Amino acid sequence: MDPNRPSNAYGLDPSLYRSQVPSYQPGAYPPVPAQNYVPAHTTGYPPVPLAPMPQPVEVVDPVAEFMMGRSHPPLIRVSFEDVPQNVDGLKRLALARCWKQAITLCEHCIYNLPLLPHESLQWQFALAFSLVKLERPGEAAEVIDKHVGPFNADKNRFETYAAYYPGQKGCMIPFGMRLLHAKLPLLRNDPKASQDRLYELLDFCQEHLNEPDTAAAIKTAMEQAIVGDAAPNTWRDRERCVKLELVDIHVSLYQHMCAVAIINDMLKEYTPEMRTAKPTGQAEYMELLQRLGGIHLEAGQLGPAEDAYSRVEAIDETILSPADQHKLEVTLCLNRGTLCMAQSLFARAFEEFGQVLQKDSHNAEAANNQAVCALYNCNLKEAVSILEGLIRNDPHAALTEPVVFNLCTLYDLQSEQNLQKKKVLHAVVQRFKGDHFPQKYLKLE
């Protein structure tokens, strides 16, 4: 080493090792592949893999999953602000089953609009009816007792307001309010009190059978808006409506023979001439025979039930309209299936109800009974599938209280994610039935 050449701190000649290290030449070395690591010299720790990029979470709609791709329009939500503040607005809310909004509309009209006496009574009836739809019968009773008072009071008569109703006489109370008042105790677990009120109402109707309903248009306007076409318009129809309510009350109290007596008395009115003359005569006659057979079966009387159903088979279908002919065919299959169930012939009953569903795929009664037969045939999975299929076909019509209750019961029997399945069914009910469906039938508690 040249003693005159400067050395570094270690006494080495830099030229010696510089000359031995080749200079960098681009392309002389293969490229280093990209590593998914953090360089070690930046942290002082071994390389750590980077976390993967988060993937978007797919939100699954439980209702769409339940419907299995079948598309049905949801129940249209109508708000109080979306409708006119009158009977037409109430009708729109009732058709949409938006009963909470209907209550808001009723209260607005009662307390903010200048109403005639009969109009005030109509809105009080609509308010009580809406409260009942939301399972608040106590509040409905308070509306009638506090704001309407005794039905025969002077303030509820046309004569008291002669300036508004010249020549009008009688009570302004809508028949729908009388019927609702009679049924309220039953909704509060007091069927005997309802029974007494219904018999009083029956006497009231029979007193007016031969009298013209001078205020029919006034009395039934609100009923037709909120109840629909089922609202009776004549005293004869009102009498029939009350008798059918009494039949149901007697059956609920296990007074089957009283119910049978009422129906047999009603059947006497449906002579062949009357059934032909009245447009709905044949359908009403068939309905009464159906109820009669069902009550006998519930009472364990197979022979009288077969007799009632045989009278249905004897109906001359040639005099029926095409719609009634189809209804008769469905009814006959239902009757045969019901009789087979009563005799524990569940396999045959299953087939009969299947024929009904072939004629009418939306028949909730047939699907419900067929599911029961499948359960008795030890086929729980098929029973669940039948009721779920019924709902998928037409959720608006199929989501009835018996269907929902029975399906939830079957979920409980499955005991596999039963609570989750019932929550999904609850979401389906909310989408297609609105806010008035009784929650107790979902068995969530």
Side-chain angles (χ1 to χ4, degrees), residues 2 22 36 116 259:
D2 185 357
N36 191 26
L116 292 173

Side-chain angles (χ1 to χ4, degrees), residues 49-119:
L50 292 175
M53 292 294 292
Q55 299 296 322
V57 179
E58 182 180 358
V59 179
V60 178
D61 181 6
V63 176
E65 191 174 28
F66 176 89
M67 299 302 294
M68 297 179 65
R70 301 188 187 184
S71 178
H72 296 276
L75 186 69
I76 299 175
R77 305 286 177 171
V78 183
S79 174
F80 159 73
E81 292 83 3
D82 300 333
V83 299
Q85 315 303 301
N86 53 29
V87 177
D88 291 335
L90 180 65
K91 183 176 182 179
R92 285 184 57 189
L93 292 173
L95 289 174
R97 297 190 284 274
C98 297
W99 299 111
K100 292 180 181 178
Q101 299 297 318
I103 290 174
T104 303
L105 176 59
C106 292
E107 292 176 340
H108 170 79
C109 293
I110 291 170
Y111 297 114
N112 297 290
L113 298 184
L115 300 175
L116 292 173
H118 80 275
E119 294 173 335

Side-chain angles (χ1 to χ4, degrees), residues 236-423:
R236 181 66 65 182
D237 289 339
R238 291 167 182 173
E239 179 198 33
R240 181 178 184 275
C241 177
V242 174
K243 284 184 176 180
L244 292 178
E245 293 288 348
L246 279 168
V247 168
D248 293 338
I249 289 281
H250 281 301
V251 171
S252 70
L253 293 172
Y254 302 101
Q255 299 168 351
H256 296 93
M257 291 303 98
C258 294
V260 168
I262 292 175
I263 292 183
N264 282 329
D265 183 63
M266 296 175 69
L267 285 170
K268 294 177 183 178
E269 303 175 8
Y270 287 85
T271 61
E273 295 77 17
M274 182 267 195
R275 300 201 305 266
T276 304
K278 188 177 181 181
T280 59
Q282 291 290 358
E284 292 175 1
Y285 178 69
M286 192 187 312
E287 178 190 352
L288 288 176
L289 290 175
Q290 284 294 105
R291 288 199 180 211
L292 182 62
I295 293 170
H296 279 305
L297 284 179
E298 189 170 334
Q301 301 170 339
L302 184 60
E306 291 177 335
D307 178 67
Y309 290 154
S310 65
R311 293 168 68 181
V312 178
E313 294 184 3
I315 294 177
D316 184 6
E317 64 178 21
T318 60
I319 64 175
L320 300 178
S321 65
D324 286 340
Q325 287 181 5
H326 178 263
K327 184 177 180 179
L328 178 61
E329 294 176 1
V330 170
T331 299
L332 293 178
C333 291
L334 276 173
N335 292 347
R336 289 192 290 267
T338 304
L339 287 173
C340 289
M341 286 185 69
Q343 300 173 75
S344 300
L345 303 174
F346 297 109
R348 285 180 55 187
F350 186 92
E351 295 176 358
E352 292 290 348
F353 294 131
Q355 292 184 22
V356 174
L357 292 173
Q358 289 179 2
K359 302 176 186 294
D360 179 10
S361 61
H362 303 300
N363 193 299
E365 181 182 358
N368 208 33
N369 288 343
Q370 191 181 46
V372 173
C373 292
L375 183 62
Y376 275 103
N377 288 331
C378 302
N379 197 335
L380 176 59
K381 185 177 180 181
E382 185 172 16
V384 171
S385 177
I386 290 170
L387 294 186
E388 288 182 341
L390 177 71
I391 295 173
R392 293 185 184 108
N393 285 338
D394 187 358
H396 296 283
L399 286 168
T400 62
E401 294 166 5
V403 169
V404 171
F405 180 82
N406 285 349
L407 182 54
C408 289
T409 302
L410 295 176
Y411 285 155
D412 289 336
L413 293 175
Q414 281 186 323
S415 69
E416 296 177 0
Q417 299 179 336
N418 59 328
L419 182 59
Q420 182 63 29
K421 291 180 179 179
K422 288 190 285 187
K423 287 182 178 179

